[in-house]
């Protein structure tokens, strides 16, 4: 008998009819049922990496919407955009300052490009146990210590919606004549909030948006925004190095349709969403579980249920029983990604579930692994391609990692290639349930 395990699982999940507060941002709305257009490069459909016709026009319209010098479509997710902007900023390798809060795809790309990374470790908020965004002063200090830095790389917002002070960091970078790159995977929608806080608006030179996370776009649809015109002529060639030669036309078409929707509905829709989430946040605040702070994405909802004695993972199951699928749960928290594609009944269901969530006792203790600046033994590049062996994490102290071990969240790698494994590294590996590690032979 023929089997379709993946397709069957997807259909079965759809049949649960849960309120979707996770990616993708389109929430399987009617907009996404238009795509019986799976074609390829044809005379009338253009070609992504040599765009001169309809794809170029679609990208130009997106560029105009975001106010960039050039915006590129990606059917390979935000990872392809990150790979491209790093290649543009570091065409022959070189030195880069990076926040240690970083996606695995960026680390691997830096290794491929033979980048020399100067890491900045984010501070921990002692009250919440969450990592804070790095500050402009951190960047200033690092740039003064080394005048040969080519670019600065940060991730903003993070999974919990915390946004860096990009405007101030941009001023620091411009003063030192270095390029500012922003992994804005969770912030494609920031352009359309009542207060525009998109990285390009705030002064970033390039930003990578995972459009499918918060906009009505098929999974894998992403945008690379370029504000510095010197990078634009080389962008397509750089993207073609990493991207598939058969990019998905339905994904690219969904970016195009999204652009049209944003022009007609974006500001109004996200204003209404912010109002809706504001009311739900008030409900959560009354329960004592709202995890909010300054400089946070106003439409990202994070509940700190550890405050009322419940683990995040248990609470996620509670929401599933109530017909709600969250984006993420941790020991302390549950994260929800809402978009304008959510239905009114989704928000009603979520608000009622929060109201009915019952405390279970005293607050749970904050669990936060300690991350230390690494001991670098070999370069990222040489370590990634070194002969390796897989050993028990408990026996790995003193060995050198060949891979990137990056739990998400917090999005801070425990190890990247070329780093010495310490006692603290092992503690973190075991904390995240990583019992085997690849090391240089």
């Amino acid at each position: 008998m023929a089997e379709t395990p993946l397709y069957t699982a997807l259909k079965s999940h759809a049949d649960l009819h849960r309120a979707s507060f996770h990616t993708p941002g389109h929430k399987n709305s009617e907009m996404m049922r238009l795509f019986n257009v799976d074609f390829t490069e044809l005379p009338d459909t253009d070609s992504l990496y040599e765009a001169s016709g309809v794809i170029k026009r679609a990208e130009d319209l997106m560029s105009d919407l975001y106010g960039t010098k050039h915006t590129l479509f990606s059917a390979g997710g935000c990872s392809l955009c990150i790979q491209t902007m790093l290649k543009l900023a570091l065409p022959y390798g070189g030195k880069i300052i990076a926040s240690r809060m970083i996606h695995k795809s960026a680390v691997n790309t830096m290794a491929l490009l033979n980048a020399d990374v100067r890491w900045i470790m984010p501070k921990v908020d002692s009250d919440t146990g969450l990592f804070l965004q790095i500050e402009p002063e951190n960047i200033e200090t690092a740039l003064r210590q080394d005048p040969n830095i080519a670019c600065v790389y940060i991730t903003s917002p993070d999974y919990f919606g915390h946004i860096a002070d990009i405007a101030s960091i941009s001023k620091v970078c411009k003063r030192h004549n270095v390029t500012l790159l922003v992994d804005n995977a969770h912030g494609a929608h920031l352009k359309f909030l009542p207060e525009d806080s998109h990285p390009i608006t705030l002064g970033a030179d390039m930003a990578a948006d995972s459009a499918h996370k918060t906009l009505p776009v098929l999974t894998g649809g992403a945008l690379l925004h370029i504000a510095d015109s010197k990078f634009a002529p080389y962008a397509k060639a750089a993207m073609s190095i990493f991207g598939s030669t058969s990019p998905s036309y339905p994904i690219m078409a969904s970016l195009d349709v999204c652009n049209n929707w944003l022009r007609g509905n974006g500001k109004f829709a996200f204003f209404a969403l912010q109002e809706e989430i504001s009311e739900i946040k008030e409900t959560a605040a009354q329960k004592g579980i709202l995890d909010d702070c300054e400089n946070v994405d106003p439409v990202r909802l994070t509940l700190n249920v550890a405050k009322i004695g419940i683990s995040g993972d248990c609470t996620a199951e509670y929401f599933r029983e109530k017909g709600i699928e969250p984006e993420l749960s941790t020991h302390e928290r549950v994260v929800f990604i809402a978009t304008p594609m959510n239905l009114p009944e989704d928000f009603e269901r979520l608000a009622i579930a929060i109201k009915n969530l019952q405390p279970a006792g005293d607050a749970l203790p904050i669990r936060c692994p300690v991350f230390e600046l690494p001991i670098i033994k070999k370069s990222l590049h040489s370590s990634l391609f070194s002969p390796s062996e897989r050993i028990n994490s408990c026996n790995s102290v003193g060995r050198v990692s060949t891979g990137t071990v990056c739990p998400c969240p917090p999005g801070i790698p425990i190890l990247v290639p070329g780093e010495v494994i310490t006692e603290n590294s092992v503690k973190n590996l075991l904390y995240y349930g990583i019992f085997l590690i690849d090391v240089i032979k």
Side-chain angles (χ1 to χ4, degrees):
M1 181 179 291
E3 289 187 76
T4 56
L6 175 58
Y7 177 78
T8 300
L10 293 171
K11 288 291 292 180
S12 297
H13 185 84
D15 290 342
L16 295 172
H17 300 292
R18 288 176 177 163
S20 168
F21 286 97
H22 54 85
T23 63
H26 59 70
K27 313 298 184 185
N28 289 293
S29 68
E30 290 294 329
M31 280 180 66
M32 295 299 107
R33 296 180 185 169
L34 305 173
F35 293 104
N36 54 345
V37 288
D38 191 8
F39 295 107
T40 187
E41 293 88 348
L42 299 169
D44 56 342
T45 60
D46 208 357
S47 175
L48 178 60
Y49 307 123
E50 298 85 21
S52 59
V54 291
I55 292 177
K56 181 180 185 301
R57 175 59 181 159
E59 290 180 330
D60 287 346
L61 287 168
M62 192 70 80
S63 175
D64 177 70
L65 181 66
Y66 275 89
T68 68
K69 297 295 183 183
H70 190 31
T71 291
L72 280 70
F73 282 6
S74 164
C78 200
S79 294
L80 179 56
C81 297
I82 288 168
Q83 291 163 339
T84 303
M85 72 178 181
L86 282 167
K87 172 61 178 171
L88 290 169
L90 297 169
Y92 312 108
K95 294 183 179 181
I96 178 172
I97 291 170
S99 167
R100 190 71 174 190
M101 186 188 297
I102 193 168
H103 194 269
K104 183 177 182 179
S105 64
V107 177
N108 289 340
T109 306
M110 291 173 188
L112 289 171
L113 295 173
N114 198 22
D116 182 2
V117 187
R118 302 290 188 267
W119 296 108
I120 296 178
M121 187 66 73
K123 296 177 182 177
V124 178
D125 185 326
S126 58
D127 292 331
T128 65
L130 293 176
F131 290 92
L132 302 171
Q133 288 284 356
I134 60 172
E135 298 174 352
E137 294 78 13
N138 304 137
I139 304 294
E140 181 75 55
T141 299
L143 288 171
R144 285 180 177 174
Q145 290 173 348
D146 192 335
N148 298 313
I149 299 295
C151 59
V152 169
Y153 184 99
I154 63 173
T155 302
S156 173
D158 65 14
Y159 229 117
F160 304 103
H162 302 140
I163 299 173
D165 184 358
I166 292 171
S168 297
I169 291 173
S170 172
K171 290 176 183 176
V172 171
C173 290
K174 285 177 170 52
R175 202 158 52 239
H176 290 268
N177 196 31
V178 300
T179 300
L180 175 58
L181 312 178
V182 180
D183 173 358
N184 185 55
H186 283 267
H189 64 290
L190 296 177
K191 178 74 181 175
F192 310 102
L193 295 179
E195 182 179 346
D196 178 359
S197 54
H198 192 276
I200 292 294
T201 304
L202 299 178
D205 294 297
M206 287 186 275
D209 289 4
S210 190
H212 75 89
K213 283 184 168 60
T214 57
L215 299 179
V217 171
L218 290 175
T219 298
L223 301 167
L224 174 58
H225 301 293
I226 300 173
D228 190 332
S229 58
K230 72 182 179 185
F231 296 116
Y234 311 102
K236 288 287 186 180
M239 183 174 277
S240 70
I241 294 171
F242 303 100
S244 169
T245 55
S246 300
S248 165
Y249 272 74
I251 292 174
M252 291 189 289
S254 74
L255 288 165
D256 192 24
V257 171
C258 176
N259 174 41
N260 187 63
W261 177 83
L262 286 168
R263 288 174 180 275
N265 303 280
K267 284 288 186 182
F268 172 80
F270 277 99
F271 180 86
L273 176 66
Q274 185 166 328
E275 291 288 304
E276 190 78 57
I277 294 299
S278 178
E279 291 182 13
I280 293 176
K281 285 186 175 184
E282 180 58 34
T283 300
Q286 291 171 5
K287 299 287 291 190
I289 58 174
L290 180 64
D291 205 2
D292 217 346
C293 62
E294 293 182 4
N295 238 20
V296 69
D297 176 358
V299 298
R300 181 61 56 96
L301 176 65
T302 303
L303 304 181
N304 187 342
V305 291
K307 291 180 178 179
I308 57 172
I310 319 173
S311 79
D313 294 331
C314 289
T315 308
E317 286 303 318
Y318 161 82
F319 280 109
R320 292 185 183 105
E321 290 169 3
K322 300 297 183 183
I324 299 161
E325 189 68 47
E327 166 69 15
L328 170 81
S329 63
T330 68
H331 175 66
E332 295 94 3
R333 294 172 172 81
V334 186
V335 178
F336 302 83
I337 295 180
T339 79
M341 298 298 110
N342 281 108
L343 300 173
E345 51 262 40
D346 294 343
F347 297 115
E348 182 179 1
R349 193 182 295 181
L350 179 59
I352 291 171
I354 293 172
K355 285 178 183 177
N356 292 334
L357 183 63
Q358 297 300 312
D362 295 335
L364 300 179
I366 294 173
R367 294 168 57 188
C368 183
V370 176
F371 288 84
E372 300 172 341
L373 281 172
I375 302 170
I376 299 172
K377 185 77 170 180
K378 294 185 66 174
S379 74
L380 279 168
H381 183 83
S382 64
S383 302
L384 182 66
F385 294 103
S386 292
S388 65
E389 60 179 337
R390 184 162 294 177
I391 64 173
N392 191 298
S393 298
C394 294
N395 302 326
S396 64
V397 173
R399 302 294 295 271
V400 177
S401 174
T402 60
T404 302
V405 184
C406 188
C408 183
I412 292 183
I414 300 171
L415 292 162
V416 306
E419 294 180 352
V420 176
I421 301 171
T422 64
E423 295 278 2
N424 188 67
S425 306
V426 172
K427 287 181 183 177
N428 288 341
L429 290 169
L430 298 180
Y431 176 87
Y432 285 105
I434 301 165
F435 302 110
L436 296 173
I437 183 75
D438 293 329
V439 298
I440 295 176
K441 276 189 176 180

